[in-house]
Amino acid sequence: MNYALNSTDNAAAALAAIRQMIETGKLPANGRLPTERDLAAELGCGRRIVRRALDALETEGLIWRKQGSGTFAGQPPDPTGALAAEIAPDADPLVVMEARLCIEPALADLCAKRATGEDVEKLRKLAHRASQPLDADTAELWDGALHRAIARIAANRVMLTAFALLDEVRMGSDWQEKRHRARSPETMTLYDRQHRDIIDAIERRDGQAASTAMRAHLEALSENLKTSMESSTE
Amino acid sequence: MNYALNSTDNAAAALAAIRQMIETGKLPANGRLPTERDLAAELGCGRRIVRRALDALETEGLIWRKQGSGTFAGQPPDPTGALAAEIAPDADPLVVMEARLCIEPALADLCAKRATGEDVEKLRKLAHRASQPLDADTAELWDGALHRAIARIAANRVMLTAFALLDEVRMGSDWQEKRHRARSPETMTLYDRQHRDIIDAIERRDGQAASTAMRAHLEALSENLKTSMESSTE
DNA sequence: GTGCCGAACCATTAAGCTATTGGTCCATGC
DNA sequence: GCATGGACCAATAGCTTAATGGTTCGGCAC
């Protein structure tokens, strides 16, 4: 595709061209788009125009830039990976679960204070997916997505980073192997019930109840984890 | 001082020599000690002996080593700096305080479950220092040390890392400037009272009460912060 | 044989250097 | 007024190189 602008160049045309460039997905795997200088050459306009268009797209949240590195489509990555990798190797699943019990009830409280109706809708959808009788791995993924969504809705950057750290440690540690996760139909329905309790409390803007419900849910998870670990050492 | 060993060389002598080297504090500021090869040459023994001695010291927790980097005295540093720096620039003091309200009560709970008598002693000493009528900056430092000690005693690596992150964001953000911290004698005595409440609860192994007391303390801090911010915008 | 030494090699790290890239400013021209 | 091209700055990534801990092996003394 040729993105060169015709003679009626203007900022709006450049913006549209770059936006199309992004949305048609004609980008390398890492989402990196051409340098500003290259874009200017390709579009046949000056760098100033390109920068203005990129400014708009950045404000829009469609791209992010880093001086010396480049311009990328999508969201800037979370730099929690290194930290998590440092902790994960010697992360006892019970320690991780204890940390979840510290952080997630508080997040549920904040979430209840800030969730919009739209947010609650999303949560319900995620809970529904997690409750479907798929294989254990998939259910785990949707469960993780639900908890992550609650953290995101809480809208506190510091807490979100702390949660991201916790989340990566949880997924990265060897515990992935240790999950015998005796996810019987009974526990599945229990978890679903607990998810609904949490979301109901969030919808009622009842932070206290959301926190309590989340705590109950995590304690059930913890209990399940303990029994599965004991049975694995037999 | 000459660390060269005499003719009755053995591993124990090398260990003692290196240990003395560390404990007498004859080291550069960063705690880096000579390379294994240099140590071997200086002590007049082989690298194998040096490595065995360093192994012992490492097991002892007196030193830590990193391939390609060197051997250092003390504890390995927490790598939370980069993450904190990423968040700090746009860290609203109120957001940070909200995060503290999420994390620190939970830490106080854990701390109450795990603190030894010795730990409680340390906490009391720190609280006493923070209550001395010094300048506001120094009081702030001792207060920070107290909260950090509670996090350390909680003995959950994941939570400790999360707290370290939070702590660095708190100290690193511009909010250092914004602290008008109207630390009147009244607030000082209030904070001291609250510190004592927290530590008393920890001593009683009453995690619930410790959590509640910590929450009350942080809410007082938050209130103080809000009023000082309002007055600064006048 | 046991234990140590010396040497060599590997894996990782840090530091320095260079090219690249976004961020900014300015003179010029339309 | 506004866009252009150019120049420069600041930050970054990639590469190279030297240094360091980690490991292995042959040799030697006891």
Side-chain angles (χ1 to χ4, degrees):
Chain A
M1 186 183 297
N2 180 12
Y3 292 102
L5 307 178
N6 56 31
S7 59
T8 66
D9 298 355
N10 60 20
L15 201 164
I18 298 176
R19 184 192 304 277
Q20 182 183 3
M21 208 169 178
I22 296 171
E23 289 174 349
T24 56
K26 298 284 188 291
L27 294 176
N30 53 1
R32 179 181 212 144
L33 48 101
T35 71
E36 296 181 354
R37 290 166 177 86
D38 286 352
L39 275 176
E42 187 170 0
L43 299 175
C45 65
R47 214 179 133 202
R48 183 167 181 172
I49 296 297
V50 171
R51 281 189 58 75
R52 195 176 302 172
L54 292 179
D55 285 343
L57 293 174
E58 188 177 27
T59 304
E60 222 174 304
L62 203 58
I63 61 169
W64 60 280
R65 297 187 275 187
K66 194 169 189 183
Q67 181 176 164
S69 178
T71 306
F72 304 83
Q75 299 298 319
D78 239 331
T80 52
L83 246 187
E86 182 111 359
I87 304 179
D90 46 279
D92 179 355
L94 290 180
V95 169
V96 176
M97 188 54 78
E98 188 178 77
R100 292 187 70 181
L101 269 163
C102 287
I103 288 183
E104 297 199 38
L107 282 173
D109 183 4
L110 287 184
C111 178
K113 287 173 184 154
R114 289 172 188 164
T116 67
E118 197 175 341
D119 290 330
V120 173
E121 264 320 296
K122 257 185 217 161
L123 292 180
R124 291 213 181 279
K125 273 181 197 163
L126 289 173
H128 184 252
R129 297 284 181 104
S131 73
Q132 296 297 81
L134 304 166
D135 61 304
D137 277 0
T138 318
E140 188 86 359
L141 284 179
W142 286 109
D143 183 271
L146 173 60
H147 287 258
R148 218 168 297 126
I150 290 175
R152 200 175 40 72
I153 296 171
N156 180 310
R157 172 111 192 251
V158 180
M159 287 305 293
L160 183 56
T161 304
F163 175 82
L165 174 72
L166 174 59
D167 204 35
E168 284 193 47
V169 172
R170 179 175 67 82
M171 293 189 301
S173 73
D174 300 347
W175 112 317
Q176 288 271 19
E177 316 307 331
K178 289 172 186 167
R179 52 179 181 187
H180 297 180
R181 62 178 59 141
R183 286 221 156 179
S184 64
E186 293 78 32
T187 59
M188 289 289 284
T189 56
L190 171 63
Y191 293 167
D192 186 43
R193 179 68 212 155
Q194 291 176 329
H195 283 162
R196 287 167 188 275
D197 287 344
I198 295 169
I199 299 174
D200 287 345
I202 289 172
E203 191 168 33
R204 296 198 309 272
R205 301 281 181 278
D206 187 344
Q208 186 82 27
S211 173
T212 305
M214 176 64 85
R215 174 167 292 276
H217 177 45
L218 292 173
E219 272 163 2
L221 279 172
S222 181
E223 208 55 41
N224 188 7
L225 178 63
K226 277 181 199 164
T227 58
S228 85
M229 282 179 71
E230 280 166 11
S231 69
S232 76
T233 58
E234 281 172 3
Chain B
M1 184 182 299
N2 181 12
Y3 293 100
L5 308 178
N6 56 31
S7 59
T8 67
D9 296 356
N10 59 19
L15 201 164
I18 298 176
R19 186 194 302 278
Q20 183 182 4
M21 207 168 177
I22 295 171
E23 289 174 349
T24 56
K26 297 284 186 293
L27 293 176
N30 53 1
R32 177 182 214 143
L33 47 102
T35 71
E36 296 181 355
R37 290 166 177 84
D38 286 351
L39 276 177
E42 188 171 357
L43 299 176
C45 64
R47 222 183 125 196
R48 184 168 179 172
I49 296 296
V50 170
R51 280 188 60 76
R52 195 175 302 172
L54 292 179
D55 284 343
L57 293 174
E58 187 178 29
T59 305
E60 223 175 305
L62 203 57
I63 62 169
W64 60 279
R65 299 186 274 186
K66 194 169 187 183
Q67 182 176 165
S69 179
T71 306
F72 303 85
Q75 302 298 320
D78 241 332
T80 52
L83 248 188
E86 182 110 359
I87 305 180
D90 48 277
D92 180 353
L94 289 180
V95 169
V96 176
M97 188 55 79
E98 189 178 75
R100 292 187 69 180
L101 269 165
C102 288
I103 287 182
E104 297 201 38
L107 283 173
D109 184 2
L110 286 184
C111 178
K113 287 173 185 153
R114 290 172 188 165
T116 68
E118 197 175 340
D119 289 333
V120 173
E121 265 320 296
K122 256 185 215 162
L123 293 180
R124 291 213 182 279
K125 272 180 195 163
L126 288 172
H128 181 64
R129 298 284 181 104
S131 73
Q132 296 296 84
L134 305 165
D135 60 302
D137 277 358
T138 318
E140 188 87 1
L141 284 179
W142 286 110
D143 184 89
L146 173 61
H147 286 258
R148 221 168 295 128
I150 290 175
R152 201 174 39 73
I153 297 172
N156 181 309
R157 171 113 193 246
V158 180
M159 286 305 294
L160 182 56
T161 304
F163 175 83
L165 174 73
L166 174 58
D167 204 36
E168 283 192 49
V169 172
R170 179 176 66 84
M171 294 188 303
S173 71
D174 301 347
W175 109 320
Q176 287 273 18
E177 317 305 332
K178 288 172 185 167
R179 51 175 184 192
H180 297 177
R181 63 178 57 137
R183 286 222 157 177
S184 64
E186 294 77 32
T187 60
M188 288 289 282
T189 57
L190 171 64
Y191 292 167
D192 185 43
R193 177 71 214 152
Q194 291 176 328
H195 283 163
R196 288 166 188 275
D197 287 345
I198 296 169
I199 299 174
D200 287 345
I202 289 173
E203 192 167 31
R204 295 196 312 272
R205 303 278 181 280
D206 187 345
Q208 187 82 26
S211 173
T212 306
M214 176 64 87
R215 175 169 292 276
H217 177 45
L218 292 174
E219 270 164 1
L221 278 172
S222 181
E223 209 54 41
N224 188 5
L225 177 65
K226 276 181 197 162
T227 58
S228 86
M229 282 179 72
E230 280 167 9
S231 69
S232 76
T233 58
E234 280 173 359

